[in-house]
């Protein structure tokens, strides 16, 4: 009888302990703190990631300068102002898709994912930590880029609250889509060593074909049509609708900002990448069974 009572007490104690375990969200926040700490310790990667959009903005602004403004429907803006939305879009994809795809591929290759899978940490908490890292870094990067653009390059920031609302939903949808795409694409590199080339190359190509480095009026129609399949083109176009005068809508391929299409494409990528990622994500290397 005493043995049965002891067993019962042990079972109740175990159940009570299980109930006291942190929830998935709390563990995700803790994991996000770990990810941020690791990111801050990689100072070279952090500095380059934050500096890249600013450096590119400075280079292109210096090359073209105020003597070569971008004109649409009789309205002109400096190249720095025209270039800013594309660099915000690039920063979003760098801090989400590229960062997550590369870091997860490396963690899979060095066995980190395999070890984490053997712990009580829920898979959802692991991914929440990665998303939190992306969200914090992309917010900080965008804020820094906007500050430098306004102070160093005299780029006027929007005064209409409606434009900032547009900025918010394009930013949120773009960040979410980029993060989920990064998780899904992380299974493509066969090793951590190949992750850089496999992940960076497609994004670099899209930067040239999606209206990031050049005005969309200078790109062939077929190139824009092909790029319109991917999120970067739509994030850049959505950001142009925020930071450029309304007259520049006429310079877009469809002659308008296409906010509805932007939201639909980014939401579609979010859903599709989520489905693909849940079906194809691997915790072990290709050669590890």
């Amino acid at each position: 009888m005493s043995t049965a009572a002891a067993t019962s007490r042990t079972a109740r104690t175990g159940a009570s302990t299980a109930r006291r375990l942190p929830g998935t969200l709390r563990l995700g926040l803790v994991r996000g703190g770990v990810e941020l700490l690791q990111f801050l310790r990689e100072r070279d990667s952090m500095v380059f990631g934050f500096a890249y959009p600013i450096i590119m903005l400075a280079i292109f602004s210096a090359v073209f300068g105020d003597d070569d403004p971008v004109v649409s429907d009789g309205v002109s803006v400096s190249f720095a102002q025209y270039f800013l939305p594309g660099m915000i879009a690039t920063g979003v994809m760098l801090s989400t898709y590229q960062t997550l795809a590369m870091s997860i591929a490396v963690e899979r290759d060095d066995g980190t994912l395999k070890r984490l899978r053997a712990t009580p940490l829920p898979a959802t908490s692991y991914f929440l930590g990665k998303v939190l890292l992306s969200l914090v870094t992309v917010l900080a990067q965008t804020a820094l880029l906007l500050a430098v653009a306004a102070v160093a390059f005299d780029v006027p920031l929007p005064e209409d609250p409606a434009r900032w609302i547009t900025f918010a939903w394009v930013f949120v949808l773009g960040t979410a889509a980029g993060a989920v795409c990064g998780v899904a694409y992380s299974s493509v590199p066969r090793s951590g060593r190949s992750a850089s080339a496999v992940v960076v190359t497609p994004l670099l190509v899209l930067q040239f074909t999606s209206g990031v480095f050049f005005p969309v009026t200078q790109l062939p129609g077929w190139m824009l049509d092909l790029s319109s399949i991917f999120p970067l083109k739509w994030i850049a176009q959505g950001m142009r609708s925020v930071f450029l005068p309304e007259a520049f809508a006429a310079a877009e391929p469809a002659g308008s900002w296409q906010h509805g299409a932007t939201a639909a494409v980014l939401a579609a990528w979010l859903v599709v990448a989520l489905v693909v990622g849940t079906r194809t994500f691997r915790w072990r290397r290709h050669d590890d069974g």
Side-chain angles (χ1 to χ4, degrees), residues 100-101 104-105 108 113 181-191 198-199 276-277 279-284 286:
L100 292 187
I104 294 175
R108 180 184 296 111
L113 290 188
C181 285
V183 173
Y185 195 78
S186 67
S187 296
V188 174
R190 296 191 62 84
S191 70
V198 175
V199 173
V276 172
R279 293 178 177 272
T280 62
F281 189 83
R282 294 178 296 101
W283 296 88
R284 298 170 179 263
H286 283 279

Side-chain angles (χ1 to χ4, degrees), residues 33-46:
V34 173
E35 295 284 350
L36 285 170
L37 184 59
Q38 292 176 339
F39 176 75
L40 292 174
R41 287 175 175 174
E42 297 175 357
R43 294 183 180 179
D44 51 347
S45 176
M46 180 184 67

Side-chain angles (χ1 to χ4, degrees), residues 10-275:
T10 301
R12 289 196 299 270
T13 302
S16 176
T17 301
R19 286 194 296 270
R20 290 197 299 269
L21 288 175
T24 300
L25 178 59
R26 183 178 175 186
L27 288 173
L29 294 175
V30 172
R31 182 64 197 178
V34 173
E35 295 284 350
L36 285 170
L37 184 59
Q38 292 176 339
F39 176 75
L40 292 174
R41 287 175 175 174
E42 297 175 357
R43 294 183 180 179
D44 51 347
S45 176
M46 180 184 67
V47 170
F48 179 79
F50 276 72
Y52 174 78
I54 297 173
I55 292 173
M56 297 304 294
L57 179 65
I59 291 175
F60 275 81
S61 299
V63 170
F64 292 95
D66 294 333
D67 295 332
D68 190 16
V70 182
V71 182
S72 176
D73 202 19
V75 178
S76 64
V77 298
S78 66
F79 197 86
Q81 183 175 350
Y82 187 89
F83 193 58
L84 176 62
M87 292 319 302
I88 294 175
T90 292
V92 168
M93 295 303 290
L94 287 175
S95 295
T96 56
Y97 157 78
Q98 179 172 302
T99 297
L100 292 187
M102 291 180 60
S103 65
I104 294 175
V106 170
E107 289 176 358
R108 180 184 296 111
D109 193 54
D110 65 16
T112 299
L113 290 188
K114 183 179 179 179
R115 292 190 294 273
L116 284 174
R117 193 57 172 164
T119 69
L121 180 71
T124 303
S125 298
Y126 169 76
F127 295 124
L128 284 175
K130 288 292 187 183
V131 171
L132 179 61
L133 169 65
S134 293
L135 180 60
V136 171
T137 55
V138 75
L139 281 171
Q141 183 184 65
T142 303
L144 180 61
L145 179 60
L146 289 176
V148 171
V151 174
F153 300 100
D154 295 322
V155 174
L157 299 183
E159 298 180 355
D160 184 0
R163 287 181 174 254
W164 286 112
I165 293 174
T166 300
F167 172 87
W169 69 257
V170 173
F171 183 86
V172 170
L173 268 180
T175 299
V180 177
C181 285
V183 173
Y185 195 78
S186 67
S187 296
V188 174
R190 296 191 62 84
S191 70
R193 292 186 298 275
S194 67
S196 179
V198 175
V199 173
V200 174
T201 301
L203 181 58
L204 182 61
V205 172
L206 286 175
Q207 289 178 51
F208 282 95
T209 63
S210 299
V212 171
F213 290 149
F214 306 103
V216 292
T217 54
Q218 297 180 3
L219 298 174
W222 66 267
M223 188 178 291
L224 287 173
D225 291 339
L226 182 62
S227 298
S228 66
I229 300 174
F230 303 98
L232 181 57
K233 182 262 185 187
W234 296 99
I235 300 174
Q237 182 170 310
M239 290 301 174
R240 285 196 294 272
S241 74
V242 174
F243 294 97
L244 297 183
E246 193 61 32
F248 276 77
E252 297 296 325
S256 67
W257 295 125
Q258 294 181 288
H259 285 155
T262 299
V265 172
L266 294 179
W269 270 99
L270 174 61
V271 173
V272 171
L274 184 62
V275 173

